[in-house]
Amino acid sequence: MTEPVEYDVVVLGGGPVGENIADRTCAAGLSTAVVESELLGGECSYWACIPSKALLRPVLARAEARRVPGLAGAVEGPLDTAAVFAHRNYWASDWKDQGQVDWLDSIGAHVYRGHGRLYGARKVAVTSPEGEHHILSARHAVVVATGTRALLPDVPGLAGARPWTSREATSAQEAPGRLLIVGGSVVATEMATAWQGLGSQVTVLVRGSGLLPRMEPFAGELVADALREAGAVVRTGVTVEAVVRDGSTGPVQVVLEGGETLEGDELLVATGRTPHTEDIGLDTVGLPAGEWIRVDDSCRVPGHDWLYAVGDVNHRALLTHQGKYQARIVGAAIAARAAGIPLDTALWGAHTATADTHALPQAVFTDPEAAAVGLTLAEAERAGHRVRAVDYDLGRVSGAGLYADGYRGQARMVVDLDREILLGVTFVGPGAAELLQAATVAVAGEVPIDRLWHAVPAFPTIGEIWLRLLETYRG
């Protein structure tokens, strides 16, 4: 074991969150070390956001082109899957992280490859792939940004059946003939859209009553309808009791409650995430291993004035853009505290995270897209707000009709009747994700409806939905 090497800040985890923290702390003049056991750039860059969207974009573009008069006949054939995979591989940097290494070097961060563990207060022990050992000591802060990994349910036979998780689903180099998907949330619906479009016969098995359960019910209904129209099978209210797979390349069988058996060439299990905290030394500082890490609004761990947990590990919002938002908050908070400056939450709220609990935006890149921010109607009612849901058929907006023939979609805004502000907004339809930022500004800024009335949407765009929702609200 070498003598401790001292830095101002040590970041455990070099994904998008850890990189953003390093960017902010280095810019503040704080010496920063980043410890990463896999690829710098993390899950989002290689196995989640980026490769999944690279797979989905051709599928969605073809689906939209088929609805455009004069173009539909030109896109009837199958996709060039080799070109799609090559494009995806490019955007995943062929699963090499030299670009991220060069970027971290350019901002002055020091990279340590290997498994990092907390080693008591303000220290991180690193074991390199070559077996070298280092102790890193932090003058001001240690930041845990280790993210999550796929959660496999305790189903007999599943562990030995070589199931796909999100990693395999986004990095596969050919389309399986038959793909069974267990789960109904974002990963399940996006990968069902992608692989059905890329030539697989997809069957989605959902334990609950519908898809996208954390969104308004109509979101899951519209996505399920579109998947079925594309040729996929969507079954709700089913429970997987066992999984059987013989050999290394044979088909996989899923046994449902009641004894029915389904067979596929691959099985994707997309039933949730679990924190990547089981072996990072939390026990050395009195915290339980393998659990989510509780933090305050500056993402600092209570009782440990030097320890922060940022991104998925704190369970506030398991989304890359929200983790990066937290990273910006944490970078500013660490820099302020290191300089002895009291945190000034009045200055743009620069040191306090609120958007990851108050105005959380999310886009699901299915066909149709689903985008939402803030509370659903049910969530607002459970929270005790006096609310009204205002709905409008997105397909009736002139811009949507020009966008595609037979445009189908739905919009809802949830209005706080006492304050006349928006608590939540949901859009479902082709291209709907591009409407999300305006809704996020309205919800996060608590913009009064009387002011929104004067934010005039351009004609003829799908954004004219705002005018129709407000007209409907006013009656």
Side-chain angles (χ1 to χ4, degrees), residues 186 212 214-215 318-319 321 360-364 370-374 436 440:
V186 178
L212 301 176
R214 295 188 178 183
M215 287 187 160
L318 275 65
L319 294 163
H321 49 274
L360 179 64
Q362 181 175 6
V364 185
V373 61
L436 184 56
T440 302

Side-chain angles (χ1 to χ4, degrees), residues 297-473:
D297 281 344
S298 67
C299 293
R300 188 163 63 170
V301 180
H304 301 77
D305 62 3
W306 53 273
L307 182 61
Y308 296 76
V310 189
D312 285 5
V313 291
N314 65 33
H315 207 230
R316 288 168 66 108
L318 275 65
L319 294 163
T320 297
H321 49 274
Q322 294 301 131
K324 292 166 72 172
Y325 160 75
Q326 291 177 11
R328 296 190 290 272
I329 297 293
V330 168
I334 290 172
R337 285 170 171 146
I341 301 171
L343 300 193
D344 180 8
T345 57
L347 181 62
W348 292 85
H351 309 116
T352 305
T354 58
D356 51 5
T357 56
H358 166 59
L360 179 64
Q362 181 175 6
V364 185
F365 295 91
T366 46
D367 176 31
E369 292 177 349
V373 61
L375 302 178
T376 64
L377 174 62
E379 288 170 341
E381 289 175 338
R382 283 196 299 268
H385 298 288
R386 193 171 69 90
V387 293
R388 174 187 165 194
V390 181
D391 294 326
Y392 199 86
D393 180 349
L394 199 52
R396 292 172 55 199
V397 175
S398 55
L402 290 166
Y403 189 91
D405 274 2
Y407 188 107
R408 284 184 294 174
Q410 186 71 25
R412 167 174 288 179
M413 64 181 191
V414 179
V415 181
D416 182 325
L417 295 174
D418 294 318
R419 294 186 291 166
E420 285 219 314
I421 61 171
L422 304 184
L423 296 179
V425 184
T426 300
F427 302 111
V428 182
E434 299 304 327
L435 299 170
L436 184 56
Q437 182 60 10
T440 302
V441 170
V443 174
E446 298 184 345
V447 181
I449 284 182
D450 281 348
R451 292 303 306 153
L452 286 176
W453 185 256
H454 298 285
V456 182
F459 178 87
T461 66
I462 301 175
E464 201 179 14
I465 183 62
W466 283 102
L467 175 59
R468 303 305 170 212
L469 286 168
L470 293 168
E471 287 175 337
T472 303
Y473 176 70

Side-chain angles (χ1 to χ4, degrees), residues 1 10 12 35 114-120 123-128 132-137 280:
M1 190 78 71
V10 177
L12 187 53
V35 181
H115 179 64
R117 302 180 78 255
L118 294 172
Y119 193 65
K123 289 184 174 62
V124 172
V126 184
T127 303
S128 76
E132 297 177 345
H133 301 281
H134 304 276
I135 296 293
L136 311 182
S137 178
I280 61 168

